[in-house]
């Protein structure tokens, strides 16, 4: 992220800095308005969308005036560091994408995919580490309303996916011993995610702990049967068979998923009425969004 000028953080508490000075962003509702503008990457957000973002389907009668008050306060707070502009019937906040941790996160994830396509696992891991370290707690903490809740869930899933992809790359790079504790914690936190258990099994096996790896499989097999009434998936079963056979060539291909197609801004409505892209556009050398 940029070291000077305006900076925004959304992958944890909603925060902003002008240089080294943190800005007081006000109420949860005002923070939601700011987050909504930032997540639209400089595109227009209508007043009605901002009202829905804060209050959902049952806004108070004063909602429009209140939103305009929030916008006025944010303009005063940001001053010349970033300008909220009026566009038609709405507002936009164009800032350099390196000034927002969310867009920096997605750029790192995209760089990791590019590295994997080139067969550069170490490069992919480096980019994913840079993405994951931006996570500073529960995304959009301090913001309220249905839009913030929907975006919080979306960002949490994206962060989790990056963590898992990073651990997969670390296993492939032969760092099993170093990441087993984190994989164990992640498996406890997400007990029904088969890929996490698969990675834990492979890491344990590569660390010379074949019996422990097999025990993980038995645990997750019982858990899936009890909780979901299903058997382990093909990938987990294949890993189990190879570990059971003490396959000396067992290596995980840490393949990252293909990029999702961004939703059109006029569609894919989230709760709260906001249309949001699944991932930001990448124009890294632009000076504004």
């Amino acid at each position: 992220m940029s070291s000077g000028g305006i900076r925004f953080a959304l992958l944890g508490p909603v925060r902003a800095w002008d240089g080294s000075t943190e800005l007081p962003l006000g109420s949860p509702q005002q923070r939601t308005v700011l987050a909504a503008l930032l997540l639209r990457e400089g595109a227009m957000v209508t007043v009605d969308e901002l009202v829905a973002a804060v209050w959902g389907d049952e806004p108070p009668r004063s909602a429009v005036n209140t939103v305009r008050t929030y916008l006025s306060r944010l303009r005063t707070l940001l001053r010349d560091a970033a300008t909220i502009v009026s566009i038609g019937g709405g507002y936009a906040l164009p800032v350099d994408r390196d000034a927002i941790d969310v867009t920096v996160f997605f750029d790192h994830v995209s760089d990791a995919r590019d590295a994997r396509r080139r067969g550069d696992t170490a490069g992919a891991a480096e980019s994913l580490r840079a993405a994951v370290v931006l996570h500073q707690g529960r995304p959009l903490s301090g913001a309220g309303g249905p839009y913030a809740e929907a975006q919080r869930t979306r960002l949490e899933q994206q962060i989790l996916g990056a963590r898992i992809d990073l651990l997969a790359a670390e296993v492939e790079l032969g760092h099993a011993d170093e990441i087993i504790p984190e994989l164990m914690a992640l498996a406890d936190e997400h007990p029904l995610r088969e890929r996490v258990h698969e990675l834990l099994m492979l890491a344990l096996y590569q660390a010379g702990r074949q019996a422990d790896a097999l025990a993980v499989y038995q645990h997750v097999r019982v858990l899936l049967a009890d909780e979901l009434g299903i058997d382990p998936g093909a990938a987990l079963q294949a890993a189990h068979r190879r570990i059971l056979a003490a396959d000396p060539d067992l290596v995980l291909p840490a393949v990252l998923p293909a990029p999702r197609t961004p939703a059109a801004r006029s569609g894919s409505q989230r709760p709260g009425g906001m249309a949001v892209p699944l991932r930001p556009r990448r124009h890294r050398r632009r000076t504004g969004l």
Side-chain angles (χ1 to χ4, degrees):
M1 293 179 65
S2 58
S3 57
I6 193 73
R7 295 180 294 123
F8 298 97
L10 303 176
L11 295 177
V14 177
R15 303 173 72 185
W17 297 262
D18 185 359
S20 60
T21 302
E22 184 166 1
L23 303 177
L25 295 180
S27 68
Q29 295 82 3
Q30 188 165 296
R31 290 168 190 261
T32 297
V33 169
L34 175 62
L37 292 169
L38 291 171
L39 288 172
R40 288 293 284 266
E41 304 176 65
M44 184 190 77
V45 186
T46 68
V47 173
D48 287 344
E49 286 178 314
L50 291 172
V51 167
V54 175
W55 291 285
D57 295 331
E58 298 182 357
R61 302 179 84 176
S62 61
V64 170
N65 288 335
T66 302
V67 161
R68 289 189 171 132
T69 298
Y70 294 150
L71 290 163
S72 177
R73 290 174 181 169
L74 288 169
R75 276 175 163 160
T76 300
L77 187 66
L78 298 174
R79 293 175 295 182
D80 296 330
T83 303
I84 298 174
V85 296
S86 300
I87 305 177
Y91 299 86
L93 178 54
V95 294
D96 190 282
R97 66 183 291 109
D98 286 344
I100 311 173
D101 62 353
V102 170
T103 48
V104 174
F105 170 86
F106 281 113
D107 282 341
H108 285 313
V109 170
S110 186
D111 288 344
R113 290 196 182 100
D114 291 344
R116 286 300 302 156
R117 292 188 187 99
R118 299 191 304 269
D120 181 7
T121 304
E126 182 179 359
S127 292
L128 288 166
R129 286 188 205 104
V132 169
V133 77
L134 294 171
H135 179 214
Q136 297 296 314
R138 196 175 185 217
L140 300 178
S141 294
Y147 175 77
E149 189 59 37
Q151 291 307 300
R152 186 174 294 119
T153 299
R154 179 179 75 94
L155 292 171
E156 285 175 340
Q157 291 304 308
Q158 297 284 355
I159 293 163
L160 176 60
R163 288 180 64 193
I164 293 172
D165 288 337
L166 172 58
L167 291 167
E170 297 284 20
V171 170
E172 186 173 346
L173 291 168
H175 302 160
D177 281 324
E178 301 169 21
I179 62 170
I180 285 172
E182 184 175 354
L183 279 168
M184 286 181 168
L186 202 60
D188 287 341
E189 187 179 348
H190 301 278
L192 300 178
R193 282 196 174 257
E194 293 189 39
R195 192 178 183 216
V196 175
H197 292 285
E198 179 189 353
L199 288 171
L200 177 56
M201 289 166 58
L202 291 166
L204 288 167
Y205 177 74
Q206 291 179 12
R209 299 168 59 181
Q210 181 185 24
D212 290 337
L214 294 172
V216 169
Y217 179 81
Q218 294 304 324
H219 168 75
V220 72
R221 182 183 64 80
V222 172
L223 186 66
L224 289 170
D226 290 346
E227 296 292 331
L228 302 177
I230 61 173
D231 293 324
L236 201 57
Q237 291 189 39
H240 175 248
R241 287 193 299 270
R242 296 181 71 183
I243 291 170
L244 194 62
D247 185 346
D249 298 321
L250 185 58
V251 176
L252 175 74
V255 178
L256 300 178
R260 297 178 180 177
T261 303
R265 290 188 183 275
S266 59
S268 185
Q269 296 295 319
R270 296 277 179 177
M274 283 298 217
V276 294
L278 292 177
R279 62 177 301 276
R281 298 162 295 168
R282 301 186 71 237
H283 300 290
R284 303 193 68 173
R285 290 181 174 82
R286 290 176 57 185
T287 57
L289 293 179

